[in-house]
Structure formats: structure tokens, C-alpha cells
Amino acid sequence: MDSIASKKRFRRLIPLAFITYSLAYLDRANYGFGVAGGMGEELNITTGVSSFLASLFFLGYFFFQVPGAHYAEKHSAKKLIFWSLILWGGLATATGMATHVGWLYPIRFLLGVVESAVMPAMLVFLSHWFLKEERSRANTFLILGNPATVLWMSVLSGYLLNSFSWRWMFILEGIPAVLWAFIWLKLVNDRPKNASWLSNKEKKDIENEFNKEQSALKPVKNYREAFKSKAVILLSLQYFAWSIGVYGFVMWLPSIIKNASNMDIVSTGWLSSVPYVVAVIGMLVLSHYSDKTLNRKIFVWTSLLIGSIAFFASYLIGSSNFWLSYSLLVIAGGAMYAPYGPFFAIIPEILPRNVAGGAMALINSMGALGSFVGSYIVGYLNGVTGGPSASFIFMASALFVSVLLTMAVKAPAANETKKRMKVASQ
């Protein structure tokens, strides 16, 4: 593949994918700041209701993953994401207009429903544009929208809450998604063959490379056959356990820090952003070496094991040393995020294109269930016990289970992958 064409695709598409997923993550993760910044008191939201509202998003997020991936593969990821941007931006803004806690139930659930199509649609979209040796980096730059957004959102939300109110935080942070929808529609093409910014030769070369990749994979008839495969089942369970740790952490980190340190909301915002700096660095490093070696599994399970150990160590320290415990949370947060790129590169390397998108959607939907469990139970444990120690053990255990499940997946070894690619090119 021509390196110039590869750089052209990265420069054109990765910033668009990154910004889109960043906006999606902004409008789902700022709930924790809203609760810590006065929404809970004004709307009389109890600890139990707050935990349920945080997790309700993921219940909605669970239902439409596979239909979203199917539509993106068979029709258009571009159009699906356009309408999702408009709808989730509107729902996020509506959160700031709620005058009673009852309004938050349908808003949080529908926000999850609308955003459920985004991740699988984006993964399908990138799989149409980037080859095996590029895929982990492409996925990473997409998912970097997650920790990078929480990083700047943590600081921005703190200032908006301090300068205005939780209402204006939600309203102002929801508007950009609606505006961005029209930029996305203008600049994106579903497949290389539709892109006017590629030459005919570049389009042909890309298509030939994709055909070589597909010919090296064992045919799979339909979703039913794909979903029954051992690898898909194990990865679904793995992502469920992994997501318990990630979203228990994301949704409740601001509250954990604020309660443990008694700092103001701006300082809490700054401290909440640090784990995501580590996450961004880790994701870039792991995706680079994963694509270089074409090894995926080892980068996933070792990183998650570090996260599990860090949570357990933070539990052992407890409240006796805030800064040491906080430093371990920084390590845990960075380690949990680092292997996303290699993880989502596994499925397109073991399943053909006609079912890979649906399989990734199924795995992501199980992650949504894990996110529901994690965000609810972590919030519940924090409220019942009066501190985060029990939730640290819970998240550490979930991550350790995900390590074991990752190791059990039979994915192509790096030398086998390279051999397949060589045979296919002959």
C-alpha cells in the first residue's frame, strides 16, 4: 500500500472520527460532574436514584448495538452517525432543562439508545478504510476520544459549574454535537470508492488490499454462526467484566475525589483529568507496538492486570494516604484505557467483513451491560459504605476476571497473521 495514500486517509478521517466520538463521550460522562456540582441537591436525587440514573444510560445503550452495526455495514455509517449526533446533542441539552428528577429517567435512557449505534458504526466505518497493519492505531485514535474528552471535560465542567450552574454545563456541552453533525455529513464518505479526494489508482489499491485480507479469512455465513463462535463469546464476557471497572471508575471518580479530599469542584476537575493523560499516552504506545508486532492479546491482558493490581493496592491503603491512593487510581485509570485499540482489532482479524461489524456490536453491547452494572454498583457501594474501599475491590475483581478471559481467547498469533497476509498477497 502506498504510504502517501495511507497518510492521506489518516489525516482526513482520524480527526473526524476522534472529534465525533469525543462529543459522544462528553455528553454521557458529564453526568457525574452534574451530580457533584449541585444537580443532586436541587432535584433531590438520593444516592440510590443517582446510581440508577448513571447506569440507566447503559441499559439504553445495550439494545441497539447490533442493529446499528448492521445498518452501518449494509447501508451507511455516515447517515446513522449524522442523526445520532443531532439527537444526542438535543438530549444532553435537555438534561440541563429538567425541573424534576422524573424527567431524567427517559432522557438518560434515550441518550443511551441514540448513542448505542455510534461505537459499532464507527468501528465498521474504520474497518472500511484501514487495513490490518493500521487498524489498532485507527481504533485507538477513535477511542482516544474517550479519555481525551474526559480529560478536558473534567477541567471545563469544573469551570462551568463554578462560573454558571449544572444546568448551563449540560446545555453548553450539548450544543456542539448538533453543530458538528453537519460538518460530519459534509466531509465523510462511507467507503474509499466514494471519496473524491482519492485518485482512481488509490481507490483500486485500497480495494485490492482489502480483498486480500478477506480472502485469508475463513468464511462465516451469518451473524448467528459468528455469535456462536468461542472467541466472540469469550470476548463478550471479557468486555462485560472490563467495562465494569472502566465505567465504575469514570462515573464516580469526581465524587470519590471530592469526598476524600474535601477540595472544591474546580480542583476536583483538575485531579479527575490526570488519569486520562496517562490513558492517552498508554493508548498511543500500545497501539503502535500492537500494529508493529501484529500481536493483540498480550497488550490487552497485561494492561488490565496492572489496572486490577492498582485498584487492589488502593483498597489496601484506604483513606490513610490520599495522595498515594490517588496515584494508584491514576495508574488504574490509564491501564484500563490503554488496550482498547488492540482489543477492537482482534475481531476483524478472525471474522470476515460480513459478520465482523455485528460481532463487534455484540461485544460492545455486553460492554454496555457491564457499564450498567459497574456504574450502578460502584455508586451503590460508595453510598452504603460511606467510602470507595468496597468499590475498589469490586472493580479490581472484575478486571482480573477480564484478564483470565482474554488469555482464554484463541486469536491468531503474530507470525500466523503475517503468514496469512503473505499467502493472500501471492
Side-chain angles (χ1 to χ4, degrees):
M1 173 62 66
D2 187 353
S3 62
I4 296 176
S6 179
K7 290 177 181 178
K8 190 185 292 187
R9 284 179 286 123
F10 267 92
R11 284 198 303 265
R12 173 86 180 197
L13 299 174
I14 292 302
L16 298 174
F18 173 83
I19 292 171
T20 302
Y21 196 62
S22 291
L23 292 172
Y25 210 79
L26 167 66
D27 289 333
R28 81 173 67 165
N30 57 7
Y31 173 79
F33 275 92
V35 172
M39 181 171 69
E41 293 179 9
E42 185 173 334
L43 299 183
N44 297 314
I45 302 174
T46 65
T47 301
V49 170
S50 182
S51 297
F52 183 69
L53 285 170
S55 56
L56 193 58
F57 168 91
F58 300 105
L59 195 59
Y61 195 75
F62 168 76
F63 286 107
F64 294 96
Q65 298 273 328
V66 175
H70 179 77
Y71 183 90
E73 182 66 57
K74 299 298 182 182
H75 301 284
S76 173
K78 171 182 174 177
K79 292 179 181 177
L80 181 60
I81 292 169
F82 168 75
W83 286 110
S84 296
L85 279 159
I86 291 176
L87 291 171
W88 93 56
L91 287 164
T93 298
T95 304
M97 300 177 182
T99 56
H100 187 274
V101 66
W103 286 106
L104 296 179
Y105 290 99
I107 289 174
R108 289 294 295 175
F109 179 77
L110 289 173
L111 186 64
V113 170
V114 170
E115 286 199 26
S116 66
V118 177
M119 181 65 167
M122 291 299 290
L123 289 171
V124 168
F125 172 76
L126 292 178
S127 73
H128 291 164
W129 280 96
F130 296 99
L131 300 163
K132 188 189 297 282
E133 62 271 18
E134 306 166 324
R135 201 163 285 140
S136 181
R137 281 170 294 153
N139 290 343
T140 290
F141 280 111
L142 166 67
I143 302 169
L144 270 177
N146 178 322
T149 299
V150 179
L151 194 163
W152 61 261
M153 180 207 73
S154 298
V155 178
L156 174 64
S157 295
Y159 278 108
L160 288 175
L161 287 166
N162 189 59
S163 301
F164 301 101
S165 68
W166 66 269
R167 292 186 181 280
W168 278 106
M169 182 199 74
F170 283 112
I171 291 169
L172 293 175
E173 290 180 351
I175 292 172
V178 179
L179 300 177
W180 180 253
F182 296 93
I183 298 173
W184 166 268
L185 190 66
K186 176 71 174 177
L187 297 180
V188 166
N189 303 101
D190 275 306
R191 298 174 185 268
K193 66 181 181 181
N194 306 125
S196 60
W197 46 274
L198 289 174
S199 68
N200 289 332
K201 182 180 183 305
E202 288 170 336
K203 293 177 185 178
K204 186 176 180 181
D205 288 345
I206 293 169
E207 189 62 32
N208 287 339
E209 290 297 323
F210 275 120
N211 289 337
K212 290 176 184 176
E213 278 190 10
Q214 293 299 301
S215 66
L217 296 174
K218 180 182 177 181
V220 178
K221 294 179 182 179
N222 50 41
Y223 286 156
R224 184 175 182 178
E225 184 178 336
F227 293 171
K228 289 165 61 178
S229 74
K230 184 178 179 181
V232 171
I233 293 170
L234 286 172
L235 288 172
S236 296
L237 295 173
Q238 187 271 10
Y239 201 48
F240 173 86
W242 180 2
S243 297
I244 286 175
V246 171
Y247 282 93
F249 180 85
V250 169
M251 298 304 294
W252 297 110
L253 183 63
S255 295
I256 290 171
I257 291 175
K258 191 172 187 294
N259 293 335
S261 64
N262 293 316
M263 294 183 180
D264 61 38
I265 195 66
V266 173
S267 299
T268 298
W270 278 103
L271 288 179
S272 297
S273 72
V274 176
Y276 304 103
V277 176
V278 178
V280 168
I281 296 170
M283 290 175 77
L284 291 172
V285 171
L286 260 64
S287 67
H288 170 77
Y289 284 103
S290 177
D291 276 347
K292 188 174 182 179
T293 63
L294 291 180
N295 199 326
R296 313 300 188 191
K297 275 177 54 177
I298 192 169
F299 292 102
V300 177
W301 72 258
T302 53
S303 188
L304 296 179
L305 181 60
I306 292 170
S308 178
I309 293 170
F311 271 131
F312 185 70
S314 190
Y315 157 75
L316 292 177
I317 292 167
S319 59
S320 61
N321 189 324
F322 169 77
W323 289 108
L324 181 55
S325 181
Y326 169 73
S327 299
L328 287 166
L329 288 181
V330 170
I331 293 171
M336 282 191 297
Y337 275 99
Y340 272 117
F343 177 79
F344 279 108
I346 292 173
I347 285 296
E349 293 175 6
I350 60 179
L351 292 176
R353 186 185 298 176
N354 64 308
V355 294
M360 287 189 290
L362 176 66
I363 292 167
N364 203 45
S365 67
M366 289 301 294
L369 278 185
S371 303
F372 176 87
V373 172
S375 58
Y376 180 75
I377 293 183
V378 168
Y380 175 78
L381 290 174
N382 291 345
V384 169
T385 63
S389 294
S391 62
F392 288 164
I393 285 290
F394 177 61
M395 289 186 283
S397 301
L399 287 180
F400 187 69
V401 169
S402 74
V403 169
L404 298 179
L405 289 167
T406 305
M407 295 174 72
V409 174
K410 187 177 180 181
N415 56 352
E416 183 184 343
T417 301
K418 291 176 181 176
K419 183 177 178 182
R420 284 184 183 180
M421 293 173 65
K422 185 176 180 181
V423 171
S425 63
Q426 292 174 349

